[in-house]
Amino acid sequence: PAADWVGVSFPEMVHRDDAAAAEYEQARLSRPPYHISREFRVEAGQGWRWIAWEETALRDELGQVMAVRSIGRDVTKHRLAEEHFCKLAESVEQAPVSVIIMTPGGTPQYVNARFTQVTGYTLENIFEQEIPLLRDGHATEADYRRCCAMLATGEKWTGELQTRRSDGRQEWEFVQISPIRNQLDEITYLLCLREDISERKELEEQLRQAQKMECLGTLAGGIAHDFNN
């Protein structure tokens, strides 16, 4: 309520983490151009709110500051949205799997640090060398077209692909590609997650070889036994 403002020192309402910055900005009002724009938290009836202030020093005929006109706009939702976006962006950038965002046509728009670490490619390399990431790893053109057809209908595609690194090596990856829709339910981007499973595939191959050798050993033992009999 307006009555609660009377007699209250405005700095007392500022969040302590913003107090030093607010005090510094306030001092600038006494110097040309006698106008500042700033954002800080103030205590309101709903708790701490981010307010964007436009403040102008009002001066008399001698140029002395008589008062300050402050116009505040509540930007709390905008600030929270920014913080949420920053957390999301940081999580994607530090994700333990490769993350690729591309257009429905397969043109990459973003790759995270894990993708560059695993493949050796940056987004600039992909554009310069025209690397078709959506096509990469599909054994045949028919397999690739089936993947595109599923994505075009809004379905998610998953599978294991043998993709190529910048040094020419091929590695196995578990790949998930999901369409991203806008508010009009139109597919605007594709989100591709790629997990390196080369070590797992190698262990599986070693296990198959061991099982094969065990079967051969059992078969040879049976033959020897029959021969001796």
Side-chain angles (χ1 to χ4, degrees), residues 28-36 55-59 63 65:
R28 291 175 54 210
L29 275 172
S30 61
R31 304 190 299 270
Y34 305 102
H35 178 85
I36 61 172
E55 299 187 72
T56 303
L58 305 179
R59 296 174 296 151
V65 176

Side-chain angles (χ1 to χ4, degrees), residues 59-98:
R59 296 174 296 151
D60 60 18
E61 296 177 352
L62 299 177
Q64 299 298 315
V65 176
M66 301 181 300
V68 175
R69 181 182 64 218
S70 300
I71 301 175
R73 180 167 55 91
D74 191 333
V75 293
T76 305
K77 289 185 178 180
H78 178 70
R79 274 281 189 161
L80 292 176
E82 283 185 343
E83 290 178 8
H84 177 72
F85 174 79
C86 289
K87 291 177 184 177
L88 177 61
E90 188 174 334
S91 299
V92 170
E93 189 62 22
Q94 298 182 22
V97 299
S98 298

Side-chain angles (χ1 to χ4, degrees), residues 15 25 27 31 136 155-156 200 206:
H15 194 283
E25 293 292 338
R31 304 190 299 270
D136 185 28
E155 295 183 62
K156 180 173 71 173
R200 193 197 78 191
Q206 291 176 359

Side-chain angles (χ1 to χ4, degrees), residues 7-15 43 48:
V8 177
S9 173
F10 190 70
E12 294 178 11
M13 304 182 68
V14 177
H15 194 283
E43 189 173 12
W48 293 105

Side-chain angles (χ1 to χ4, degrees), residues 10 20 35 45 56 86 94 96 121 129 138 152-153 169 175 179 203 206:
F10 190 70
H35 178 85
T56 303
C86 289
Q94 298 182 22
Y121 289 118
Q129 302 178 33
H138 292 280
T153 60
R169 291 185 301 112
V175 181
L203 291 174
Q206 291 176 359

